[in-house]
Amino acid sequence: MVCGDLMSEQTVHDDYVVLGKLTSPYGVKGWFKVYSHTSPMEGILDYPEWVVRQGDRLRRHRLLQGRRQGKGLVARLEGVDSRDAAERLAGAELVLPKTALPELGSDEYYWHQLEGLTVVTREGTVLGRIAYLFETGANDVLVVQGDPLGEPAAIDDRERLLPFLPDEVVVAVDLAAGTMTVEWDPEF
């Protein structure tokens, strides 16, 4: 199963995963509007220390307060006490060392672990690589992009949307080998 605790749209560096973004100041006392990649979105508030990335610079800030505000989140960080200070950090990414992620059970994966895996049918046909995942109401979906010139070569250059359904569509995941085996008709 895919763990909903953390969704990654991109990785910052091999050692970090993006949790969210400080989008804009909120009020005049240094609060931010926060876009969260965690699921549920409030899960980002469970991390007491945030690593803020601006360009190549990483800085740690203790989370002082955070809450749901309307359809989004707002938060206040230690050392950010004014709107001007918040404006200087607006647009920065919130990252977390992968080593700080909660341990998962067997057959559970973070999205960033699945991104980039080569998807192969039971019959050995390479469909492509997992570019990213997204949520639907029913299940998570793998976006698999083919590349007939890639390594290993995919059957074609089509983009396929495969439901992440363990034991139905997803037969096996081998993180060490970088592969996911699926029960899927390549013509679909």
Side-chain angles (χ1 to χ4, degrees):
M1 106 187 211
V2 175
C3 183
D5 186 82
L6 182 66
M7 297 180 291
S8 169
E9 298 217 355
Q10 69 184 70
T11 55
V12 171
H13 176 271
D14 286 345
D15 297 333
Y16 291 90
V17 66
V18 177
L19 285 178
K21 186 175 187 175
L22 301 173
T23 59
S24 61
Y26 176 78
V28 295
K29 296 184 178 180
W31 285 73
F32 293 95
K33 290 182 183 178
V34 177
Y35 179 80
S36 174
H37 293 301
T38 64
S39 179
M41 89 165 108
E42 293 91 347
I44 198 169
L45 302 175
D46 293 338
Y47 296 93
E49 184 176 79
W50 288 4
V51 179
V52 177
R53 178 180 183 256
Q54 274 187 306
D56 292 333
R57 187 173 165 188
L58 297 173
R59 289 189 19 207
R60 296 183 183 280
H61 291 270
R62 191 166 58 94
L63 176 65
L64 296 178
Q65 292 178 285
R67 68 174 187 268
R68 188 169 188 113
Q69 182 69 34
K71 293 183 179 181
L73 298 174
V74 295
R76 191 166 71 94
L77 301 177
E78 185 175 53
V80 183
D81 300 324
S82 69
R83 183 174 185 88
D84 288 341
E87 284 176 351
R88 287 191 290 276
L89 289 178
E93 292 178 314
L94 302 171
V95 299
L96 183 72
K98 289 180 181 178
T99 56
L101 294 172
E103 297 246 353
L104 298 178
S106 63
D107 295 330
E108 291 185 322
Y109 308 95
Y110 287 111
W111 284 15
H112 75 270
Q113 293 175 302
L114 301 177
E115 293 168 350
L117 294 183
T118 298
V119 179
V120 182
T121 66
R122 278 186 192 236
E123 294 75 28
T125 303
V126 177
L127 300 178
R129 293 192 185 275
I130 300 171
Y132 60 95
L133 295 91
F134 64 90
E135 288 183 274
T136 67
N139 53 266
D140 297 330
V141 175
L142 306 162
V143 178
V144 179
Q145 295 179 340
D147 181 1
L149 303 176
E151 186 59 43
I155 188 171
D156 55 31
D157 63 356
R158 287 180 44 202
E159 180 177 273
R160 291 175 174 82
L161 304 178
L162 281 67
F164 188 89
L165 298 172
D167 302 324
E168 291 179 48
V169 175
V170 178
V171 177
V173 174
D174 187 340
L175 295 178
T179 61
M180 176 184 287
T181 304
V182 297
E183 180 66 48
W184 196 257
D185 180 356
E187 300 302 316
F188 188 67

